[in-house]
Amino acid sequence: MCGIVGYLGNKEAYPILINGLKRLEYRGYDSSGIALFNGDMEIYKCKGKVERLESLKNKDSSSASLGIGHTRWATHGPPNDKNAHPHVSNNGDLVIVHNGIIENVESLRTLLIEKNYSFKSDTDTEVLVNFIEYVQKEEKVSLEEAVRLSLNQVIGAYAISIISKSHPDVMIAARLGSPLVLGLGNKEFFIGSDATPFLDHTKKVIYLEDGELARISKQGISIRTIDSDKPVDAIIHQLQMDLESIEKGGFEHFMLKEIYEQPTSIQNTIRGRLFPEKNEIKMAGLEMISSNLKVANRIIILGCGTSWHAGLVGEYLIEEFSRVPVEVEYASEFRYRNPVINSNDVVIAISQSGETADTLAAIKLAKESGACVFGICNVVGSSIARETDAGAFTHAGPEIGVASTKAFTAQVTVLAMMALYMGKIKNKLTKTKFREIALEINKIPEKIESILKLDSAIKTISKSLKGFNNSLFLGRGFNFPVALEGALKLKEISYIHAEGYPAAEMKHGPIALIDKKMPIIVIAPLGGLYEKLVSNIQEVKARKGKIISITGFGQSEVKSLSDAVIEIPDTLDCLSPMLTTIPLQLLSYHVAVERGCNVDQPRNLAKSVTVE
Ligand code: F6R
């Protein structure tokens, strides 16, 4: 979703801002722009990719050392040149970039129109920058104070960065509900929606908190609260992330790189946490809430999209190992439906980005009701990581491809360890069972390694799928959520309509869709409900559906029924989602490439959904 970058220092701002915007491309956007200040304001903005923006810059223009940039994901008004950020106030003094949505935009617009303000775009952002200009004139206050007073009258979510012609050595940044990170270099300062735009310049960062406003000048950064104007003691963090981890490393797409990283990312998820021989899971976050987990009568898992699918696998795992009932809910539904939350419920919020607006709001609701909230996040320092009572990082490393891959398997790995931990403290797992499962988790990375060797065979299968417009994914038990996830992967990057179903539900409706034009991807690993799935495959075969199966080695029955088979190593049924997901990720990837789709930045999608 929208991305912000800002620079103030002694270097030329333009290349820093352009590279920063390119690094933010993974978030998803439809237009981009920059403002540079060097005596006068130069603004470049347009619909489309950052490459197009680059072609607009006047090569002879002055080299500014102050500037802000933006990638926009349309909310108010269609993606076009005039709606792209930055936006300028009517007197030409203030320039703003903004992420989020101003909900009371219409009342602010009406007030400004009465005061003879006019607007060039359809955006709430242009209204906001003019409102700040108006407040500054009316109240005769400093820029910083005008921004603060204005934001106190704004309803909605925002991360903003503002520069001003009359304050050429200052950048203002403020946030409420949308992330913003400040980077501290050597006599230079950066602003980013995350740290990726300036990682090659500094790893020293300050995470701006909700309700905080920063004034950044060459003298340093001062932060104050927006509502009460109190000074804030900022904590400087040293990032561990390196540049290599956010680059493609020889792969054609980030998504493929991230699929291939899974043996390593899962190793990183379990490192120092899983001790099969000692019958132990060591996770600081779980220790912190162990008394809550001991008395918990219910677990509620919240998330969106792929994280919600990981939550469904978590439901099966936690119920199986600890016998505690689990409910899994879309964060977006939970936050608006007046849910029953008890103080001895433990809520698990799952989010790769840690910035998903619906998940964040659902967490706040759960906390208000007295529940203990545990976060499973990938991004260190993210809003969700900071908002939860305790948590576990997935340690999957930066996920840049919009379609989530390694984050999913890492989330499931954390949930499997959490389920083991709960099974142990609830006395529902024997030592032998605990050890068996823990040992098998340790083997998952090498088994994924062997599945990745099937890549070229999967690529061949993908060629036979590329011409279809619809598809069904079927799975049962632990692999029902994998069917949902497989369908989501295919639809989001290849634009082929895909539905995930529990295989036995097919008879209750979707079977009507099956004919030779309908490919069916069946997830039928050995164990669990394998025999039942064989019957389901037969039902599809009888109706001439094209069958692609994911199954164990040498399953002649499934093989003889299928048009194509992907054979994967065996594992425990409860851990099979960590393996069965991999061929589905590869299949979607290759189908999308075959169809000429933009794999890493699918249309209309954003990596980090910071608006509801
Ligand atoms: C799908 C995908 C999305 C995200 C969802 C939640 O591939 O990436 O469905 O899973 O937007 O995002 P996070 O996990 O960042 O909260």
Side-chain angles (χ1 to χ4, degrees), residues 559-607:
K559 238 178 170 172
S560 66
L561 291 167
S562 306
D563 297 86
V565 184
I566 302 168
E567 290 171 299
I568 61 168
D570 295 339
T571 185
L572 297 174
D573 191 36
C574 59
L575 302 180
S576 60
M578 290 151 89
L579 299 187
T580 50
T581 310
I582 312 294
L584 297 182
Q585 294 170 346
L586 286 169
L587 194 64
S588 299
Y589 170 78
H590 288 300
V591 172
V593 172
E594 286 289 333
R595 286 166 68 96
C597 300
N598 185 344
V599 175
D600 283 334
Q601 289 157 33
R603 68 183 181 209
N604 306 336
L605 285 180
K607 182 68 187 161

Side-chain angles (χ1 to χ4, degrees), residues 410-430:
Q411 288 163 346
V412 172
T413 309
V414 170
L415 287 160
M417 290 190 289
M418 189 164 183
L420 279 179
Y421 182 91
M422 287 183 62
K424 184 176 167 183
I425 62 171
K426 292 269 186 189
N427 283 324
K428 298 288 180 200
L429 266 185
T430 62

Side-chain angles (χ1 to χ4, degrees), residues 304-307 350-354 356 402-404 488-489 492 609:
C304 302
T306 290
S307 295
I350 308 177
S351 174
Q352 186 286 129
S353 62
T356 301
V402 164
S404 195
L488 176 64
K489 259 343 46 119
E492 68 182 333
V609 185

Side-chain angles (χ1 to χ4, degrees), residues 432-448:
T432 319
K433 194 77 196 155
F434 184 106
R435 188 169 168 277
E436 183 196 3
I437 298 163
L439 281 173
E440 188 58 25
I441 294 177
N442 263 338
K443 290 185 194 150
I444 295 292
E446 92 187 46
K447 292 189 178 182
I448 294 181

Side-chain angles (χ1 to χ4, degrees), residues 144-155:
E144 183 185 356
E145 183 62 358
V147 176
R148 195 184 72 75
L149 293 175
S150 307
L151 292 179
N152 274 316
Q153 295 191 52
V154 159
I155 300 170

